[in-house]
């Protein structure tokens, strides 16, 4: 039996590869033939290997962008022709105007489906729209305001944890590790009304560990199987697929199964607990972590009064639990780490920011107080530092979209085709892939000026270049594509602003952050992360931390 499964999977993979090769030879003519772009680097992986290579991707892509501009052609797997763009008008069509045409790829959707179930990040079309309708209000400023005490409670524990480590003098601390734990606990308490990590002691949590392990473990599965996934998840009834997975004679498949089972079981547990409390009334909810102010409690209450067509099924609700943790944790912790790393490299800016924070937090008796929502959100220099970091170093540097039906992609300004003609509308065909480059949009010199690739918080303290306004960047946040735009934009972007600002406002008056002599390397993976020295699969950011006040 085991042999049979192995052979079946082998056959499927071979068939798929054969089909791709065949298609390459058959469809040699493409509407993109006239679009300039780099030569292919390999028959099998085109330019993709370089684009995905965490060691070099950043420099490689910046080189392409500088050479070819806002839209060009690259070679995908088996040299399929892909588009690469950061043209604002094209981005507007992709993310907002025609977002049903330019959708999330099946591979990503089915991967998230396997991991989380049918939540926001794992659904398309009407199902996704319906979920967004239910969830959008939950993420509004109204509920965020109420979350302030939860955020402070978590951040004070972080403050105590770091204080206890540097109480006798400067220590080297893995800042990324602490930011990850904090981001997890903030989405845990604020998002789910659930505590994963006390922060004050080291305690492993199998749900958190499973979420962290999912991508590293699934990347050990050969790429061909990832490509097959959208198809495999449709074979037979769930019970059959489950059997198939249970029988799969590969260690990594069994490890993945454990990961997914752990995540699923805990997600159900979290929801069941919330529901039980809710049934007993608001008082019972207030006794729980999050005091009924967390997003999940708000969502459960909203669902109770929702119209029949808007209601979420249990399965959809459970899927939001791991979906939210997945979406919120590494993005935020890497952004926070990037800010602290930049501040360590720019001590003058760190000091200026600290002065702003200490001054406004001074309660008049020599102690520091916690800031209200509006105060912390409106501090100009804190805002400039956050904005500039999210601009220059978006945690997610780029995204894939697949074209679901033949269509057209208009450009803000024409490009010159290989035959010398001017092109301002690109015909695109079903099945074609598009890489949208978030970083290149955020750092476009035509829009932001010659210093676009420099990290300069000061640029936000004066009026932005008029080109920024005129470019009509379709991002939800601040002319930036960091959280993209449209109905798949980051639903948690206000949540993440608030948590980052509260963490920084709490830590910077208490500690000084400095570089160690270990060089830091930022790996250009799906979510950019730091490591020591060179490319590494071990994310870490050691900084020297010194307590400031006695
Ligand atoms: C610096 C921090 C963050 C960054 C840079 C970021 C960025 C993004 C981006 C680029 C997307 C679009 C992904 C795609 O289309 O494939 C996205 C989606 C999403 N983000 Fe964030 N995010 C951050 C923090 C958060 C937080 C804190 C939460 C939750 C509280 C969150 C929840 C989500 C969800 C649920 C989606 C899926 C939305 C949908 O498909 O409708 N994110 N995020
Ligand atoms: C700091 O010094 C005190 C007294 O010597 C000691 O008890 C404590 O463990 C030290 N803290 C750390 C983090 O080393
Ligand atoms: C949403 O509310 C309806 C009606 O109160 C209920 O039947 C359904 O189970 C709820 N869905 C979830 C996921 O709790």
């Amino acid at each position: 039996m085991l042999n049979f499964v192995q052979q079946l999977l082998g056959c499927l993979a071979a068939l798929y590869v054969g089909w791709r090769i065949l298609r390459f030879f058959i469809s040699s003519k493409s509407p993109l033939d006239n679009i300039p772009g780099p030569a292919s680097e390999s028959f099998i992986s085109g330019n993709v290997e370089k684009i995905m290579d965490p060691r070099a991707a950043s420099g490689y892509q910046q080189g392409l962008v500088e050479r070819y501009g806002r839209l060009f052609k690259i070679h995908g797997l088996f040299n399929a022709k892909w588009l690469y763009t950061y043209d604002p008008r094209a981005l507007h069509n992709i993310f907002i105007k025609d977002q049903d045409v330019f959708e999330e790829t099946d591979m990503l959707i089915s991967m998230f489906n396997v991991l989380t179930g049918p939540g926001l990040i794992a659904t398309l079309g009407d199902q996704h729209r319906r979920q967004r309708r239910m969830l959008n209000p939950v993420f509004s400023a109204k509920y965020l305001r109420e979350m302030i005490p939860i955020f402070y409670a978590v951040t004070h524990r972080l403050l105590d944890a770091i204080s206890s480590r540097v109480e006798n003098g400067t220590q080297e601390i893995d800042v990324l590790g602490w930011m990850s734990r904090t981001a997890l606990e903030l989405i845990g308490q604020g998002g789910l009304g659930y505590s994963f990590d006390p922060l004050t002691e080291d305690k492993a949590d199998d749900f958190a560990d499973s979420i962290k392990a999912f991508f590293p473990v699934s990347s050990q599965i050969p790429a061909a199987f990832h490509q097959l996934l959208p198809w495999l998840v449709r074979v037979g009834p769930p019970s059959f697929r489950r059997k198939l997975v249970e029988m799969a004679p590969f260690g990594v498949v069994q490890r993945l199964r454990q990961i997914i089972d752990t995540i699923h079981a805990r997600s159900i547990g979290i929801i069941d607990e919330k529901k039980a409390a809710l049934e007993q009334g608001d008082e019972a909810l207030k006794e729980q972590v999050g005091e009924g102010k967390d997003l999940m409690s708000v969502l459960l209450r909203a669902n109770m009064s929702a119209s029949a067509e808007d209601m979420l099924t249990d399965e959809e609700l459970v899927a939001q639990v791991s979906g939210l943790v997945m979406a919120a944790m590494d993005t935020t912790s890497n952004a926070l780490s990037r800010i602290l790393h930049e501040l360590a490299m720019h001590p003058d800016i760190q000091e200026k920011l600290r002065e702003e924070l200490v001054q406004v937090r001074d309660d008049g008796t020599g102690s520091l107080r916690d800031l209200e929502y509006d105060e912390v959100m409106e501090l100009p220099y804190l805002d400039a530092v956050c904005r500039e970091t999210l601009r220059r170093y978006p945690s997610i540097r780029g995204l894939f979209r697949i074209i679901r039906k033949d269509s057209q992609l208009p450009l803000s300004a024409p490009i010159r085709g290989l035959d010398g003609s001017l092109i301002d509308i690109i015909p695109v065909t079903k099945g074609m892939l598009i890489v949208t480059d978030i970083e290149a949009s955020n750092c476009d010199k035509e829009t932001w000026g010659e210093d676009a690739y420099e990290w300069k918080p000061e640029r936000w303290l004066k009026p932005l270049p008029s080109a920024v306004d005129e470019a009509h960047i379709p991002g939800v946040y601040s002319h930036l594509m960091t959280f993209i735009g449209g109905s798949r934009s980051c639903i948690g972007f206000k949540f993440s602003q608030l948590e980052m600002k509260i963490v920084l406002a709490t830590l910077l008056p208490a500690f000084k952050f400095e570089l160690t002599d270990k060089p830091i390397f930022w790996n250009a993976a799906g979510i950019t992360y730091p490591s020591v020295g060179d490319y590494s699969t071990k994310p870490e950011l050691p900084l020297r931390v010194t307590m400031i006040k006695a």
Side-chain angles (χ1 to χ4, degrees):
M1 192 64 204
L2 289 187
N3 246 333
F4 166 72
V5 177
Q6 228 161 3
Q7 278 171 8
L8 179 73
L9 290 177
C11 278
L12 289 175
L15 269 176
Y16 177 78
V17 169
W19 173 72
R20 288 310 299 245
I21 293 176
L22 202 69
R23 226 177 64 152
F24 166 70
F25 284 112
I26 296 172
S27 62
S28 53
K29 258 190 100 56
S30 149
L32 305 188
D33 284 343
N34 195 24
I35 311 278
S40 173
E41 311 262 350
S42 127
F43 168 70
I44 306 217
S45 62
N47 310 96
V48 179
E49 208 172 295
K50 280 225 168 146
I51 285 185
M52 306 288 262
D53 181 356
R55 274 159 261 246
S58 213
Y60 180 67
Q61 290 180 40
Q62 201 177 322
L64 293 183
V65 160
E66 269 165 19
R67 168 128 191 240
Y68 296 102
R70 288 174 166 181
L71 179 132
F72 52 92
K73 173 180 67 190
I74 59 168
H75 300 269
L77 296 178
F78 301 105
N79 281 326
K81 296 183 173 73
W82 293 0
L83 276 177
Y84 192 107
T85 192
Y86 60 98
D87 178 278
R89 177 105 188 264
L91 292 177
H92 178 83
N93 263 59
I94 293 169
F95 290 121
I96 297 179
K97 185 160 168 286
D98 283 339
Q99 69 104 16
D100 280 344
V101 175
F102 303 91
E103 259 293 8
E104 209 77 69
T105 64
D106 290 315
M107 198 172 97
L108 201 76
I109 289 290
S110 37
M111 189 131 122
F112 279 126
N113 233 307
V114 168
L115 175 70
T116 70
L120 261 192
I121 54 174
T123 48
L124 297 171
D126 286 338
Q127 189 180 14
H128 177 261
R129 263 191 289 276
R130 183 172 51 77
Q131 291 190 21
R132 262 316 267 233
R133 257 205 311 277
M134 277 295 290
L135 281 151
N136 275 339
V138 173
F139 281 86
S140 65
K142 173 176 166 214
Y143 297 114
L144 265 187
R145 278 173 191 278
E146 301 197 352
M147 230 172 261
I148 280 260
I150 307 181
F151 280 14
Y152 275 120
V154 173
T155 312
H156 282 286
R157 280 201 262 143
L158 170 69
L159 183 75
D160 292 344
I162 298 183
S163 297
S164 73
R165 280 161 179 81
V166 299
E167 62 186 353
N168 298 338
T170 305
Q171 288 290 323
E172 182 181 305
I173 296 230
D174 175 19
V175 165
L176 180 74
W178 284 104
M179 292 306 118
S180 302
R181 290 176 68 170
T182 307
L184 173 66
E185 192 56 11
L186 286 168
I187 187 66
Q189 295 207 16
L192 310 172
Y194 188 87
S195 174
F196 293 105
D197 181 351
L199 289 175
T200 40
E201 59 189 275
D202 295 324
K203 183 175 141 257
D205 182 276
D206 57 353
F207 177 86
D209 290 342
S210 296
I211 295 237
K212 282 184 204 139
F214 177 74
F215 280 113
V217 172
S218 61
S219 71
Q220 293 165 21
I221 294 184
F225 287 117
H226 283 270
Q227 299 272 334
L228 278 174
L229 194 61
W231 186 79
L232 284 175
V233 295
R234 284 185 215 125
V235 181
S239 54
F240 171 76
R241 292 197 296 267
R242 172 92 202 170
K243 269 268 158 321
L244 214 61
V245 168
E246 277 170 7
M247 286 180 329
F250 311 107
V252 335
V253 174
Q254 295 314 322
R255 176 83 186 91
L256 266 186
R257 182 173 64 88
Q258 278 167 6
I259 287 176
I260 290 166
D261 286 349
T262 306
I263 291 175
H264 193 66
R266 182 80 69 87
S267 301
I268 291 180
I270 292 175
I271 294 293
D272 282 350
E273 228 175 82
K274 278 257 117 56
K275 277 189 164 175
L278 197 64
E279 269 159 27
Q280 291 170 33
D282 265 8
E283 286 311 310
L285 210 54
K286 280 191 193 126
E287 316 243 300
Q288 292 209 317
V289 177
E291 299 170 10
K293 290 176 179 153
D294 55 281
L295 303 176
M296 216 30 94
S297 298
V298 177
L299 180 62
L300 274 171
R301 281 198 216 97
N303 175 66
M304 291 204 316
S305 52
S307 65
E309 76 245 36
D310 279 356
M311 269 171 202
L312 297 182
T313 66
D314 275 359
E315 205 192 10
E316 287 175 319
L317 190 74
V318 168
Q320 312 301 344
V321 174
S322 50
L324 278 181
V325 175
M326 201 90 205
M329 191 169 62
D330 289 354
T331 45
T332 306
S333 62
N334 284 295
L336 266 169
S337 299
R338 182 70 92 153
I339 294 175
L340 290 169
H341 185 210
E342 287 296 327
L343 292 176
M345 288 192 287
H346 300 92
D348 49 330
I349 296 180
Q350 181 177 158
E351 196 43 48
K352 188 172 163 189
L353 178 54
R354 181 172 296 116
E355 274 165 23
E356 178 183 79
L357 293 168
V358 168
Q359 199 192 355
V360 60
R361 286 187 55 197
D362 185 353
D363 70 354
T365 71
S367 317
L368 298 175
R369 64 184 181 92
D370 286 339
L371 302 176
E372 307 286 329
Y373 180 87
D374 292 317
E375 288 176 310
V376 75
M377 289 306 278
E378 279 160 21
L379 286 175
Y381 206 56
L382 178 61
D383 192 63
V385 166
C386 291
R387 243 176 249 269
E388 180 64 353
T389 311
L390 291 166
R391 182 193 71 84
R392 175 61 190 89
Y393 300 112
S395 317
I396 299 175
R397 290 175 316 122
L399 286 171
F400 283 104
R401 287 297 190 255
I402 191 162
I403 291 160
R404 300 254 171 221
K405 66 170 197 256
D406 294 359
S407 181
Q408 291 185 324
L409 197 58
L411 301 178
S412 330
I415 57 164
R416 204 164 280 286
L418 290 172
D419 65 1
S421 63
L422 286 177
I423 308 171
D424 58 5
I425 292 191
I426 317 287
V428 293
T429 50
K430 187 174 168 186
M432 203 182 261
L433 272 171
I434 298 195
V435 181
T436 59
D437 191 333
I438 291 173
E439 183 176 292
S441 174
N442 287 356
C443 301
D444 188 356
K445 289 184 184 169
E446 275 186 57
T447 313
W448 293 92
E450 276 307 307
D451 62 357
Y453 276 95
E454 289 165 42
W455 183 81
K456 278 189 182 168
E458 268 67 21
R459 78 173 77 236
W460 297 96
L461 300 178
K462 47 186 196 238
L464 294 172
S466 56
V468 173
D469 235 0
E470 287 153 16
H472 299 294
I473 310 287
V476 282
Y477 170 69
S478 195
H479 310 286
L480 303 177
M481 289 308 290
T482 308
F483 300 99
I484 68 169
S487 67
R488 285 205 92 90
S489 61
C490 178
I491 203 170
F493 85 95
K494 291 201 189 97
F495 187 101
S496 87
Q497 303 300 301
L498 183 63
E499 57 181 332
M500 286 194 276
K501 286 180 172 179
I502 287 190
V503 169
L504 293 170
T506 307
L507 294 189
L508 285 169
F511 308 114
K512 190 158 93 186
F513 294 87
E514 293 168 301
L515 298 176
T516 68
D517 51 13
K518 297 174 185 164
I520 302 300
F521 179 79
W522 285 86
N523 300 261
I527 296 173
T528 311
Y529 64 87
S531 60
V532 169
D534 203 344
Y535 163 76
S536 163
T537 51
K538 184 180 172 219
E540 58 179 326
L541 174 61
L543 291 179
R544 281 161 49 85
V545 181
T546 309
M547 181 109 76
I548 289 175
K549 41 178 225 129

